[in-house]
């Protein structure tokens, strides 16, 4: 088992205040704060057959908190699809695009397709919906993934999971 947090930060990004109405706080997303320093990463912890991560909730459709179109196919996706975005290091320059991962959490396992990057290197701008950079150990999942793991309503947001390439 490989523990998350074994890669070092690559830098800091200074937050800018989003223009009025420009940061979508759907799915309890955070908005950047003026002057706050956010840690950035170009790497993620090493992937194993049992990689520790934090599962977060993301919207992949137009106007949702996920920002723009997905990095892998330049499309929006429905939240009923079993899909995820991975932190920059795990996304690995699109090498995991359209491939599947197994997610283990809440006593269940689900197979989901990688369609996007949860950018750990940039944030606080229009391309990133004025949200801070992702941590380096994020699996950002659709509602359907959370449903498949049996996690509903207010229980969603952040959950420790383990994942592996399918």
């Amino acid at each position: 088992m490989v523990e998350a947090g074994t890669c070092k930060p690559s830098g800091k990004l200074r937050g800018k205040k989003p223009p009025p109405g420009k940061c979508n706080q759907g799915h309890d997303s955070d908005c950047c704060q003026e002057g706050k320093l956010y840690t950035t990463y170009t790497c993620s912890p090493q992937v194993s057959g049992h990689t520790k991560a934090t599962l977060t909730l993301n919207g992949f459709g137009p106007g949702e908190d996920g920002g723009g179109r997905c990095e892998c196919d330049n499309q929006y996706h429905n939240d009923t699809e079993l899909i995820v975005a991975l932190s920059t290091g795990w996304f690995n320059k699109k090498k995991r695009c359209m491939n599947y991962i197994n997610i283990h959490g809440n006593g269940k396992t689900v197979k989901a397709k990688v369609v996007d990057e949860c950018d750990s290197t940039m944030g606080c701008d229009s391309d990133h919906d004025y949200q801070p950079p992702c941590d380096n150990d994020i699996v950002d999942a659709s509602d359907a993934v959370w449903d498949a793991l049996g996690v509903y309503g207010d229980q969603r947001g952040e959950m420790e999971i383990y994942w592996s390439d399918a």
Side-chain angles (χ1 to χ4, degrees):
M1 176 171 67
V2 176
E3 291 295 314
T6 56
C7 105
K8 303 267 187 265
S10 57
K12 297 274 186 188
L13 181 144
R14 186 171 301 280
K16 297 178 224 126
K17 184 178 179 183
K22 290 294 181 187
C23 179
N24 184 335
Q25 290 184 282
H27 298 128
D28 292 327
S29 294
D30 291 328
C31 293
C32 289
Q33 295 175 24
E34 183 74 37
K36 181 175 178 179
L37 289 177
Y38 296 97
T39 302
T40 59
Y41 296 90
T42 55
C43 59
S44 290
Q46 184 176 346
V47 175
S48 70
H50 196 68
T51 307
K52 185 178 178 181
T54 301
L55 189 71
T56 55
L57 181 59
N58 188 43
F60 293 86
E64 290 194 87
D65 60 307
R69 296 173 187 268
C70 292
E71 193 70 26
C72 292
D73 59 5
N74 199 33
Q75 301 292 314
Y76 289 109
H77 288 268
N78 192 306
D79 294 329
T80 59
E81 294 177 63
L82 294 168
I83 53 176
V84 298
L86 296 177
S87 292
T88 297
W90 289 336
F91 188 69
N92 197 12
K93 299 181 179 102
K94 296 189 177 184
K95 287 186 174 71
R96 285 198 167 83
C97 272
M98 311 315 273
N99 290 325
Y100 288 86
I101 65 170
N102 292 316
I103 300 167
H104 312 279
N106 198 39
K108 299 178 188 262
T109 300
V110 62
K111 189 165 133 180
K113 188 191 312 185
V114 177
V115 296
D116 206 0
E117 175 182 14
C118 193
D119 199 337
S120 306
T121 66
M122 301 287 291
C124 300
D125 57 17
S126 61
D127 284 350
H128 300 90
D129 204 32
Y130 296 97
Q131 295 173 21
C134 276
D135 284 336
N136 67 340
D137 63 343
I138 299 296
V139 175
D140 207 13
S142 66
D143 283 315
V145 170
W146 286 86
D147 287 345
L149 293 173
V151 181
Y152 305 101
D154 291 344
Q155 300 301 309
R156 294 179 182 189
E158 284 192 8
M159 181 172 80
E160 184 178 291
I161 56 141
Y162 291 90
W163 73 275
S164 60
D165 290 307

